[in-house]
Amino acid sequence: MTRMTPLLERNEQFARAYTPAALGLPTTQMIVVTCLDHRVDPAIFLGLRLGDAPVIRNAGGRVTQAVIDDIGYLAFLAGQLFAGQLTDDRLFEVAIVHHTQCGTGLAADPGFRHQAAEATGLAEAAMEAAAVTDPHITVKADVERLLASPRLSPKVSVSGHVYDIATGRLTTAAEARYP
Ligand SMILES: [Zn+2]
């Protein structure tokens, strides 16, 4: 008996009623980038089902180089595998979702940041830059960062949204735009 045991039981229930999703374009033609926070699960608050959308998660839902690389690879893969299925010349919309009460916001405090840097080896400047204190501001900055990347396919658009932990509601902070 480990902490994983009850989750394995849930998986057993899941697998009994399971139907695999066919390999194809993600049915929503969306990619979601959001925070790893356990209160922020896009499968639940956006009602995503299997096969609907790739989801990329990290601390804060920030547009890092790793996120840009993943989106570039997904666009390449979709272009290679599903070119015949595309109805127009557009591949995906990337929805970047930041949220209220984000734990990365604690790193905006210099004392906390210093302690965290000592304990984890993370760079203080990187933590400060990644902190989401006002998700409306950071999500717009990250939409611009992704749109400005020379790596972004012209067939991919980008939008920005804020998820409110208190209400469960998503509001759009930046409408979808192509690079
Ligand atoms: Zn967060």
Side-chain angles (χ1 to χ4, degrees):
M1 180 81 181
T2 73
R3 287 183 177 152
M4 190 62 189
T5 304
L7 301 190
L8 291 171
E9 283 164 11
R10 291 187 204 180
N11 173 256
E12 185 51 41
Q13 295 290 325
F14 166 79
R16 272 181 212 151
Y18 175 68
T19 314
L23 179 63
L25 267 181
T27 48
T28 62
Q29 283 187 251
M30 297 287 306
I31 297 172
V32 180
V33 176
T34 195
C35 186
L36 48 70
D37 193 305
H38 50 299
R39 302 165 299 169
V40 178
D41 188 336
I44 294 174
F45 70 74
L46 296 177
L48 297 178
R49 290 158 303 189
L50 294 176
D52 273 353
V55 174
I56 302 171
R57 297 177 72 171
N58 63 24
R62 302 311 307 262
V63 172
T64 60
Q65 188 57 49
V67 168
I68 293 170
D69 291 347
D70 283 346
I71 292 168
Y73 184 69
L74 285 168
F76 169 77
L77 205 58
Q80 292 289 308
L81 296 179
F82 312 123
Q85 297 178 31
L86 294 171
T87 47
D88 54 24
D89 206 27
R90 304 306 193 189
L91 276 177
F92 297 115
E93 176 178 332
V94 178
I96 303 168
V97 179
H98 290 183
H99 71 98
T100 59
Q101 303 175 23
C102 189
T104 63
L106 295 169
D109 176 72
F112 185 90
R113 195 163 66 233
H114 186 68
Q115 261 190 313
E118 296 271 286
T120 64
L122 290 166
E124 282 194 54
M127 270 192 282
E128 187 177 15
V132 174
T133 45
D134 183 339
H136 290 89
I137 292 174
T138 52
V139 83
K140 283 181 196 156
D142 278 8
V143 166
E144 296 308 324
R145 173 154 198 230
L146 184 53
L147 283 169
S149 168
R151 299 249 172 208
L152 187 69
S153 162
K155 298 177 181 179
V156 172
S157 63
V158 184
S159 60
H161 314 266
V162 174
Y163 177 69
D164 188 332
I165 293 249
T167 64
R169 189 157 282 120
L170 198 71
T171 52
T172 297
E175 297 289 344
R177 267 161 44 222
Y178 286 92

